[in-house]
Amino acid sequence: MTETQTTPSTMQVPPPPVVRAALGATVPVAKEAPPITIELRDVSAFYGKKLAVSGVSMSIRAHSVTALIGPSGCGKSTLIRTINRMHEFAPGARVEGSIIVDGVNIYGPGIDPARVRQRIGMVFQKPNPFPTMSIADNVAAGLRFMGIRSKSELRDRVESALKRAALWDEVKNDLKKPGIAISGGQQQRLCIARAIAVEPDIVLMDEPCSALDPIATLKIEDLMRELARDYTIVTVTHNMQQAARVSDQTAFMLMDPGDLAGHLVEYGPTSDIFTNPKDSRTEDYISGRFG
Amino acid sequence: MTTRDLSRPRRPSSLQNRLQLGDWTFRTLTGLAGLVAMAVIVGAFYELGSQAWPAIKHGGISVLWDTSWNPGRQEFGVGVFVIGTLITSMFALVAATIIAVLVSLFLVEVAPGYISRPVSYLIELLAAIPSVVYGLWGIFVMGVFVRDHFGPVVVSTFGWIPIFDGTPLITGLFSACVILTVMILPTVMAVSRDVIAAVPRSQREGLMALGATRWEMIRLTVLPYARSGVMGAAILGLARAVGETLAVTLVIGNSVRIPDNIFSPAYTMASVIANQFPEATGLHQSALIEVALILLAITFIINIVARLLVWKVTGGHRAVVQE
């Protein structure tokens, strides 16, 4: 295995998909300074002819939590969906610019979006476990796409993912039950387990707590901090306290009244954004003057 | 028209239970409508049963598997018709469901809107064609094609398998199967397209985000999710296939014989009633009504079995659709 910064997993890492081989290995890792794992270069996203996100450039650091904040309609959900090529799943949607993940442009020629998504997991706004699959099969779904067939390996990896998602103790006796037979907060942790079971490098979370109660939200936030030790987390949130609590870096986005598209206004360490914003619009937003 | 004093909002004067006239009317009307539906079914069974009674007394239970139907000699075995109906409608059910699911997947998952909209409209239009038109097309176009081109090729290629070894004619079992398939296709397709399109986007995205290919996404979320709905669609089609009369009567060949290959002429229950009822009297007429009674019972049983099947597939609870 030639990975330089994979997760400290005790299990055998599966045969590397092409993208992982292409993405990994090339960047030498200095232990003290985490390498940059995602670099957005002039990314614009369209729905048909409509520009939704305009010219965003930013660098997202490995093994940290980066929060995208901003009022509704500012394009933060669209932007996060460009990072694993889910944006183009909508009819007529396309992306311009490039996103470099560990040295490889995921919008480059010959890149398989399905492989990109295996390396960049995603957790959605509403918990979406697969209702026709059991809890265990939900977690194993992505592993099966990677070609893992061995029952014992699947079982071990399902258990490990559920443990890291802090769900194992609650479901270990119900693994055969349908994925929708548990509470909303548990379902969302199941979706997180499902995303991390394939050992991705990056986990994207699109408002993962917006459908959850405060206690379930806190659990997910703790989990995000925990996961940031092994994964690069990018999250979208409406909730500024949440961004302040969980993130290392914060990006503030805003819809420009001129072109009605989302722009990146300010991006920096979370403490700076919240205590000492450079842009007056950021200050207005975080102090609750609009949005 | 009086002006209300807006400073004093109108409030219910008391919390006592009022006479809910609207509710009462609604309950009564809907209840009556439900009773009418049940009365029709019970009435149909009763009326057919009483008129078929002479034939039932004459032939007993054995008519169900007895295959000799000869009104002149007072022989009224319905086995041939039951077999013809079951073969043609089962063939149509399987073929139409497979085609409908494939077409629906194409329309929903693959084709862009400017193709899928007109194509689904055209397929729905097939349902509006009268069955006599299907029947005539079946004789003059499809039947001729089967006799001159399709049939000979099948016989020369697969003739060593007994069921393909026959003499292709314009009319016969195979033509009836194809006609029925085409006729029930629009119904099955319209419903399965709707249930496939109703699979929530969050489910599709959830699987795509795990690195699934399009086919894996369809196989693992779309098909399991749509399964109970597609089965419902197939049942709707089957009900139509079992009862379809005119088109089948025109193309099936109307021969009181157990078909021994796919090109044999055969007979269905609906066609024997349509063909012979106008001239039938006495016991013959009663026997035809008995055929109708058996047809009704078969439809009834099919529906119950289908419901049990759907119930079993969905694990006892209703469709799992939840956004």
Side-chain angles (χ1 to χ4, degrees):
Chain A
M1 239 23 234
T2 50
E3 285 135 22
T4 50
Q5 37 142 18
T6 184
T7 55
S9 162
T10 52
M11 292 168 307
Q12 208 195 342
V13 177
V18 172
V19 169
R20 186 174 190 112
L23 297 180
T26 50
V27 185
V29 185
K31 286 261 188 301
E32 51 282 359
I36 288 165
T37 45
I38 313 172
E39 192 177 340
L40 283 70
R41 290 187 190 153
D42 200 20
V43 172
S44 298
F46 299 81
Y47 291 101
K49 287 193 179 113
K50 192 196 171 309
L51 180 66
V53 170
S54 171
V56 171
S57 296
M58 63 192 284
S59 295
I60 294 170
R61 300 202 312 169
H63 296 190
S64 67
V65 177
T66 301
L68 305 179
I69 63 168
S72 294
C74 72
K76 53 194 190 305
S77 281
T78 304
L79 182 66
I80 199 174
R81 290 165 65 92
T82 64
I83 300 177
N84 66 342
R85 298 195 59 170
M86 280 299 286
H87 173 65
E88 61 210 74
F89 192 58
R94 68 195 164 84
V95 175
E96 281 175 8
S98 47
I99 296 181
I100 317 293
V101 179
D102 271 3
V104 173
N105 179 10
I106 61 167
Y107 285 94
I111 296 281
D112 176 0
R115 288 288 174 80
V116 169
R117 293 177 197 129
Q118 280 179 346
R119 304 314 320 154
I120 307 177
M122 188 161 207
V123 175
F124 295 84
Q125 201 167 341
K126 275 171 93 176
N128 58 348
F130 308 127
T132 52
M133 296 185 198
S134 68
I135 290 175
D137 284 339
N138 263 279
V139 182
L143 297 169
R144 295 208 164 96
F145 302 140
M146 295 169 63
I148 298 174
R149 290 282 175 273
S150 147
K151 280 226 167 77
S152 60
E153 187 181 355
L154 283 174
R155 198 168 46 230
D156 290 348
R157 295 184 60 136
V158 165
E159 179 175 340
S160 156
L162 284 170
K163 278 180 176 159
R164 274 176 295 155
L167 188 60
W168 175 252
D169 290 334
E170 293 160 57
V171 301
K172 63 185 171 196
N173 298 321
D174 299 324
L175 293 174
K176 294 244 161 62
K177 279 195 185 169
I180 48 169
I182 49 181
S183 77
Q186 290 173 325
Q187 288 184 20
Q188 193 64 305
R189 275 178 284 148
L190 177 61
C191 293
I192 293 175
R194 187 171 76 185
I196 61 180
V198 296
E199 298 291 341
D201 300 313
I202 299 159
V203 178
L204 309 175
M205 299 189 176
D206 185 0
E207 297 190 40
C209 304
S210 62
L212 305 181
D213 65 63
I215 295 183
T217 299
L218 276 182
K219 281 190 180 153
I220 303 274
E221 288 180 5
D222 287 347
L223 188 55
M224 286 162 82
R225 288 304 328 162
E226 185 69 26
L227 292 173
R229 290 198 280 169
D230 299 337
Y231 306 96
T232 302
I233 311 269
V234 183
T235 182
V236 164
T237 179
H238 259 108
N239 179 331
M240 281 179 286
Q241 286 75 31
Q242 182 170 77
R245 281 193 298 263
V246 302
S247 70
D248 302 299
Q249 287 85 232
T250 297
F252 172 60
M253 293 181 70
L254 198 56
M255 185 177 81
D256 185 299
D259 58 6
L260 298 180
H263 294 255
L264 179 63
V265 174
E266 189 168 352
Y267 174 49
T270 300
S271 51
D272 289 1
I273 297 282
F274 279 90
T275 57
N276 188 19
K278 293 187 187 66
D279 195 295
S280 63
R281 291 171 294 175
T282 315
E283 190 175 355
D284 287 351
Y285 183 69
I286 58 147
S287 59
R289 244 165 277 172
F290 72 93
Chain B
M1 192 168 153
T2 53
T3 319
R4 270 179 59 206
D5 180 3
L6 292 176
S7 64
R8 291 180 55 200
R10 194 143 37 132
R11 321 176 68 181
S13 51
S14 115
L15 299 177
Q16 294 272 301
N17 210 346
R18 288 164 300 158
L19 175 65
Q20 304 275 359
L21 192 61
D23 270 7
W24 182 86
T25 317
F26 180 73
R27 264 207 306 273
T28 312
L29 273 178
T30 49
L32 279 177
L35 279 180
V36 167
M38 274 168 61
V40 169
I41 292 283
V42 173
F45 266 109
Y46 173 78
E47 194 60 28
L48 289 174
S50 66
Q51 299 217 30
W53 187 242
I56 296 171
K57 261 197 320 204
H58 174 80
I61 190 80
S62 66
V63 294
L64 283 175
W65 52 86
D66 195 344
T67 56
S68 58
W69 173 276
N70 191 331
R73 287 191 296 173
Q74 304 278 295
E75 289 171 1
F76 299 109
V78 300
V80 171
F81 313 128
V82 174
I83 287 173
T85 296
L86 289 183
I87 291 178
T88 50
S89 48
M90 287 300 155
F91 180 97
L93 169 78
V94 173
T97 306
I98 293 172
I99 297 171
V101 169
L102 292 177
V103 173
S104 307
L105 286 175
F106 170 75
L107 293 178
V108 176
E109 306 290 342
V110 183
Y114 62 88
I115 291 179
S116 69
R117 268 187 295 273
V119 169
S120 25
Y121 176 72
L122 284 175
I123 294 176
E124 275 164 37
L125 213 59
L126 287 177
I129 298 176
S131 51
V132 64
V133 176
Y134 276 113
L136 291 177
W137 177 83
I139 289 177
F140 291 117
V141 182
M142 190 192 70
V144 173
F145 180 80
V146 168
R147 183 192 59 188
D148 296 343
H149 303 284
F150 180 80
V153 171
V154 170
V155 172
S156 65
T157 318
F158 299 106
W160 49 276
I161 307 172
I163 62 160
F164 293 114
D165 186 19
T167 317
L169 303 168
I170 286 181
T171 59
L173 195 58
F174 179 75
S175 300
C177 289
V178 175
I179 279 288
L180 269 186
T181 306
V182 176
M183 289 182 74
I184 69 173
L185 186 59
T187 317
V188 185
M189 203 223 64
V191 178
S192 31
R193 185 203 53 204
D194 288 349
V195 298
I196 285 173
V199 175
R201 193 186 164 83
S202 67
Q203 288 291 315
R204 301 162 190 268
E205 290 192 336
L207 217 67
M208 292 300 277
L210 286 174
T213 61
R214 231 179 167 78
W215 163 240
E216 285 167 331
M217 188 266 286
I218 289 170
R219 185 165 58 87
L220 288 167
T221 78
V222 174
L223 291 182
Y225 229 91
R227 191 168 50 186
S228 60
V230 168
M231 287 179 72
I235 301 313
L236 275 180
L238 181 62
R240 187 166 179 209
V242 169
E244 174 51 41
T245 310
L246 188 51
V248 174
T249 308
L250 285 171
V251 300
I252 199 166
N254 300 325
S255 155
V256 189
R257 246 183 19 182
I258 298 274
D260 55 10
N261 67 71
I262 60 166
F263 299 111
S264 310
Y267 227 144
T268 67
M269 304 168 80
S271 358
V272 74
I273 299 172
N275 273 333
Q276 301 188 356
F277 201 78
E279 291 93 42
T281 50
L283 197 58
H284 185 194
Q285 191 183 44
S286 176
L288 287 171
I289 292 170
E290 189 185 2
V291 173
L293 181 66
I294 297 167
L295 184 58
L296 184 62
I298 287 179
T299 324
F300 213 72
I301 292 167
I302 287 174
N303 268 296
I304 290 170
V305 170
R307 241 161 236 286
L308 288 177
L309 212 62
V310 171
W311 186 72
K312 190 163 175 275
V313 162
T314 53
H317 41 79
R318 292 197 78 77
V320 282
V321 178
Q322 56 141 38
E323 174 59 26

